[in-house]
């Protein structure tokens, strides 16, 4: 078996191609694939007789596979290979604690916690970051998580802990929601470290919808570059290197955060061809000491910018100022009760 290697872990329902290596073939030679719940157990045919050795399966439970190879009336069996099927991650409450190893209900890093979600979730999941732990020196990406929904949410309670990184040009984010939905970050410090040339605190990309960034501190002040796409506290774009490129993040809530530094505090884009970014809500944030723009939307529909405190009180090197900028293609956008001062 060449493509299903011993003890290969996969998610339930993943397509696996079974194949043979090191075998010879002859006229009239046939292959029948078999499966069993144990290595030495009773094997059952799962394929019809075929003249080719490959066969695709979609296992939903851990299974052993072997091939019955028949030539000239003589049948031989390949060595059994186990394919381990990882279950969905059960709903519940877990911890992230850098001071303890990953195991049981604890994860030592954010990356370990996210890896546990790879095969989807079976219920709402809460990760409580241990107060006083860290800092966590990580850049994390959360992809689409199967099973996430309005009822099955994923929450990271930061409890004042810090996740920090020194991003590079190819990976400018510290936290990236790459198509992930129904993710919440509460009370987490997100920091670009000293010496950073790039820094996007949180990136919403590729249809990241229904997410919440609440009561977090995002500090990108270490990035002093005056190039727009090098820095932003929160950015909605599908690009890896341009904050002004098209995006499609919808129904996200950004509230009660303190956003410090960067070229711009928040920039969220839709797509000019008609896929607007819909109903994003930006409320009750402090957006301050940015280089140029406080909050900027392009190609948004129904988004709300309200009750934010936007200023550059202590930023020394600045360019022209925009507190709230509505770029091309916006419609039905509400800008209400913001305080814009000390430009």
């Amino acid at each position: 078996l060449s493509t299903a290697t011993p003890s290969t872990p996969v998610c339930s329902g993943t397509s696996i191609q079974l194949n043979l290596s090191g075998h010879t073939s002859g006229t009239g030679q046939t292959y029948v694939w078999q499966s069993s719940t144990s290595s030495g157990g009773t094997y059952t045919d799962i394929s019809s007789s075929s003249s080719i050795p490959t066969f695709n399966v979609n296992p939903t439970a851990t299974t052993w596979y072997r091939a019955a190879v028949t030539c000239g009336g003589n049948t031989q069996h390949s060595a059994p290979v186990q394919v381990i099927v990882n279950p969905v991650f059960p709903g519940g409450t877990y911890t992230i604690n850098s001071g303890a190893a990953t195991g049981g209900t604890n994860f030592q890093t954010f990356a370990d916690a996210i890896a546990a979600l790879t095969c989807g979730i079976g219920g709402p999941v809460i990760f409580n970051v241990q107060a006083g732990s860290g800092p966590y020196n990580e850049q994390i990406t959360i992809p689409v998580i199967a099973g996430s929904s309005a009822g099955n949410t994923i929450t990271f309670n930061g409890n004042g802990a810090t996740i920090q990184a020194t991003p590079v040009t190819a990976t400018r984010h510290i936290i990236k929601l790459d198509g992930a939905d129904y993710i919440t970050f509460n009370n987490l410090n997100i920091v670009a470290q000293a010496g950073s040339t790039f820094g996007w605190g949180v990136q919403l990309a590729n249809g990241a919808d229904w997410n919440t960034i609440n009561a977090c501190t995002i500090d990108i002040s270490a990035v002093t570059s005056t190039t727009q796409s090098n820095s932003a506290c929160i950015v909605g774009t599908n690009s890896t290197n341009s904050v002004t490129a098209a995006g499609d993040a919808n129904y996200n809530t950004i509230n009660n955060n303190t956003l410090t530094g960067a070229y711009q505090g928040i920039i969220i884009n839709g797509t000019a061809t008609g896929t607007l970014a819909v109903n994003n809500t930006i409320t009750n944030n402090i957006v301050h000491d940015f280089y140029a723009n406080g909050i900027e939307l392009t190609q948004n529909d129904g988004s709300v910018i309200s009750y934010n405190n936007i200023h550059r009180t202590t930023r020394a090197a600045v360019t022209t100022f925009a507190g709230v900028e509505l770029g091309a293609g916006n419609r039905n956008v509400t800008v209400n009760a913001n305080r814009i001062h000390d430009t």
Side-chain angles (χ1 to χ4, degrees), residues 94-96 110 127-131 133 136 156-159 161 188:
Y94 303 85
T95 58
I96 298 175
F110 281 84
F127 294 106
N128 289 319
V129 183
Q130 180 66 40
S133 66
Y136 294 85
F156 294 84
N157 291 319
N159 294 311
L188 182 65

Side-chain angles (χ1 to χ4, degrees), residues 3-337:
T3 57
T5 54
S7 300
T8 299
V10 299
C11 297
S12 178
T14 299
S15 180
I16 297 293
Q17 185 181 78
L18 305 174
N19 201 354
L20 292 173
S21 62
H23 68 291
T24 58
S25 59
T27 302
Q29 185 166 305
T30 60
Y31 307 88
V32 175
W33 285 96
Q34 302 173 328
S35 68
S36 173
T37 57
S38 63
S39 175
T42 301
Y43 280 84
T44 302
D45 292 352
I46 58 172
S47 76
S48 58
S49 180
S50 174
S51 60
I52 58 175
T54 58
F55 183 66
N56 292 332
V57 293
N58 301 82
T60 58
T62 297
T63 305
W64 290 83
Y65 297 98
R66 72 180 188 184
V69 183
T70 301
C71 185
N74 180 29
T75 299
Q76 298 291 324
H77 296 98
S78 64
V81 168
Q82 185 185 42
V83 175
I84 297 174
V85 175
N86 290 332
V88 298
F89 189 70
T93 301
Y94 303 85
T95 58
I96 298 175
N97 184 356
S98 60
T102 295
T105 59
N106 183 68
F107 298 91
Q108 192 169 43
T109 65
F110 281 84
D112 287 349
I114 294 165
L117 307 176
T118 300
C119 289
I121 58 174
V125 174
I126 298 173
F127 294 106
N128 289 319
V129 183
Q130 180 66 40
S133 66
Y136 294 85
N137 298 305
E138 303 183 64
Q139 286 176 274
I140 60 173
T141 298
I142 304 180
V144 176
I145 304 297
S148 63
S149 66
N152 288 350
T153 58
I154 302 168
T155 301
F156 294 84
N157 291 319
N159 294 311
T162 296
I163 181 170
Q164 61 187 20
T166 306
V168 296
T169 183
T171 51
R172 302 186 180 196
H173 66 275
I174 299 173
I175 295 173
K176 182 176 183 178
L177 303 184
D178 192 7
D181 300 335
Y182 299 102
I183 309 293
T184 294
F185 285 96
N186 291 317
N187 192 23
L188 182 65
N189 298 323
I190 304 165
V191 178
Q193 291 183 278
S196 297
T197 303
F198 305 93
W200 298 353
V202 177
Q203 181 182 3
L204 305 169
N206 300 313
D209 301 335
W210 300 105
N211 301 295
T212 300
I213 305 166
N214 175 65
C216 292
T217 297
I218 303 178
D219 187 349
I220 310 298
S221 58
V223 182
T224 58
S225 168
T226 57
T227 300
Q228 181 174 16
S229 286
N230 283 8
S231 61
C233 291
I234 298 174
V235 56
T237 176
N238 294 340
S239 172
T240 59
N241 57 22
S242 173
V243 300
T244 60
D248 58 353
N250 309 292
Y251 301 101
N252 296 289
T253 299
I254 301 167
N255 62 308
N256 303 314
N257 304 286
T258 298
L259 312 180
T260 305
Y263 188 100
Q264 58 264 297
I266 301 171
I267 181 168
I268 297 178
N269 311 311
T271 303
T273 54
T275 307
L276 301 184
V278 177
N279 291 354
N280 293 296
T281 302
I282 303 168
T283 60
N284 293 299
N285 302 284
I286 299 172
V287 183
H288 73 110
D289 294 342
F290 45 88
Y291 179 68
N293 304 328
I295 300 171
E296 180 178 353
L297 303 182
T298 62
Q299 309 294 344
N300 270 244
D301 184 6
S303 294
V304 175
I305 302 171
S306 64
Y307 298 98
N308 299 286
N309 186 351
I310 302 166
H311 64 90
R312 289 195 305 198
T313 304
T314 61
R315 177 85 183 215
V318 296
T319 187
T320 51
F321 176 92
V324 175
E325 180 173 342
L326 300 184
N330 290 296
R331 64 188 186 193
N332 305 313
V333 172
T334 299
V335 180
N336 175 62

